[in-house]
Amino acid sequence: MHNKHGSGKTWHKKGRKNYIIKTLNRESVNVMGFQSENGFSVLSFPKRGNRATFSLHLLEIRIANMENSEVREKLIEMLNSNEVNEEIIEEELKKNLLTTEELKEQIHKATEIPADSQSVLEKRMNRIFGKVKVKAKQIVDIQENELNLLLDENMELKEELSEERRIVVVLDNYSAHLAHIVKRIAKFLKIKLIFLPTHSPKLNPIEQVWRAMKKKISSIDFKCLKELSKKIKFYYFKYIKNKTFTDKWMEKFIIKR
């Protein structure tokens, strides 16, 4: 793969799914990372890995590598919009599901039975609410639709972003990376996506970062997900600075002029 280096371009590497999963009492944490060769690296902890969370990750990448502070604030507002917030969308969908007759009956019974305290009543309600399951696809579809609307409503941003240094992201052919919304938001953010050949993780230097992290983290016992996430962040930004992971890759695949 040959491409120019310089001329106002920023080269970045993005791993495949890039998830480091460590189980704690059947719980896990997802990690999405972005290794920058000549800019700012980014690490995020999405609840799930899909086209919507990857699109939002691209937003984080652009925000971290912005020169225009005013435009950066507009992108931050877009990123933090309630309309694309997975947790808020999920809660709203759950509320809609709670209006079904079956659940209404469960809620009625839970509130009708005397409770010794408010906490007991809350536990009953939480058990009912916890049984309400929202399909991930529903959330993703809503996020994708809202992202498209946000792009349509903020097309003037595209012109402002055209003044920014282009970001080039090298990544694999994971299905989420190939989604239409991902390609659209990448174009909007002036991010060029370059896909590696199929089944070629060794061509991506960030894989060495994940490998080094996994080796280090696998030997540690964690008491909670918060502790695990903290360590992941620490080792990620420690190893991401190791330029030996990228030197040979840059020399081999990028023509420097």
Side-chain angles (χ1 to χ4, degrees):
M1 179 170 57
H2 302 282
N3 276 282
K4 293 181 180 178
H5 177 64
S7 302
K9 298 177 182 177
T10 302
W11 280 93
H12 294 291
K13 291 37 161 229
K14 174 72 179 64
R16 184 185 174 280
K17 249 179 178 179
N18 289 347
Y19 297 147
I20 293 178
I21 300 177
K22 179 77 173 182
T23 302
L24 286 166
N25 297 323
R26 295 184 180 180
E27 292 183 289
S28 63
V29 58
N30 289 331
V31 183
M32 191 174 289
F34 169 79
Q35 179 184 11
S36 173
E37 174 63 23
N38 58 349
F40 294 97
S41 298
V42 175
L43 184 71
S44 62
F45 295 85
K47 188 175 181 180
R48 300 180 181 89
N50 51 52
R51 62 185 185 275
T53 53
F54 184 64
S55 296
L56 295 173
H57 189 63
L58 289 179
L59 257 173
E60 291 184 85
I61 291 169
R62 172 48 80 186
I63 289 168
N65 292 278
M66 284 288 297
E67 294 181 6
N68 188 316
S69 59
E70 291 184 8
V71 178
R72 180 191 295 114
E73 290 303 314
K74 293 177 183 178
L75 292 179
I76 291 173
E77 185 178 341
M78 186 183 294
L79 177 67
N80 295 326
S81 169
N82 287 344
E83 284 75 15
V84 296
N85 185 292
E86 183 176 353
E87 292 183 0
I88 292 176
I89 293 172
E90 186 172 10
E91 290 302 309
E92 288 300 315
L93 289 173
K94 279 187 175 183
K95 287 178 183 177
N96 292 335
L97 290 173
L98 284 171
T99 61
T100 62
E101 291 303 317
E102 182 182 352
L103 285 169
K104 280 183 179 179
E105 181 65 23
Q106 290 183 38
I107 293 170
H108 175 71
K109 288 181 179 179
T111 54
E112 193 176 50
I113 300 172
D116 296 332
S117 64
Q118 183 64 27
S119 62
V120 172
L121 183 59
E122 287 178 358
K123 285 180 181 178
R124 290 179 190 169
M125 298 302 291
N126 287 336
R127 278 198 295 270
I128 295 171
F129 199 66
K131 293 177 182 178
V132 179
K133 300 298 181 183
V134 176
K135 292 181 179 179
K137 186 180 183 304
Q138 289 179 279
I139 299 172
V140 175
D141 287 344
I142 291 173
Q143 284 179 299
E144 181 174 13
N145 183 56
E146 293 298 336
L147 280 169
N148 276 313
L149 289 174
L150 284 173
L151 294 183
D152 292 338
E153 293 168 0
N154 293 277
M155 286 307 292
E156 69 278 2
L157 270 178
K158 190 174 182 179
E159 184 65 29
E160 294 176 289
L161 284 163
S162 67
E163 302 298 320
E164 291 291 322
R165 184 169 56 163
R166 186 174 67 159
I167 296 174
V168 177
V169 176
V170 179
L171 66 171
D172 69 8
N173 293 273
Y174 176 51
S175 58
H177 300 161
L178 301 169
H180 175 73
I181 183 60
V182 169
K183 293 178 180 178
R184 188 182 180 203
I185 202 166
K187 186 176 181 180
F188 180 90
L189 297 171
K190 200 179 178 181
I191 295 177
K192 182 174 178 59
L193 305 177
I194 295 181
F195 295 92
L196 292 170
T198 306
H199 306 304
S200 57
K202 291 183 179 180
L203 294 181
N204 200 333
I206 199 172
E207 294 297 337
Q208 297 184 58
V209 176
W210 298 130
R211 193 177 300 111
M213 288 173 63
K214 287 177 182 178
K215 184 177 180 180
K216 192 72 177 180
I217 292 173
S218 63
S219 62
I220 304 173
D221 291 325
F222 298 98
K223 297 179 181 179
C224 62
L225 290 177
K226 185 176 180 181
E227 183 182 334
L228 170 60
S229 298
K230 188 176 179 180
K231 280 293 182 183
I232 287 174
K233 187 174 181 180
F234 172 78
Y235 284 114
Y236 180 79
F237 286 106
K238 176 182 178 180
Y239 289 123
I240 211 74
K241 296 176 182 178
N242 189 342
K243 296 301 179 182
T244 60
F245 288 161
T246 59
D247 284 346
K248 291 182 179 179
W249 191 93
M250 295 288 287
E251 292 173 6
K252 185 174 182 179
F253 296 104
I254 299 177
I255 299 174
K256 298 183 179 182
R257 297 181 180 178

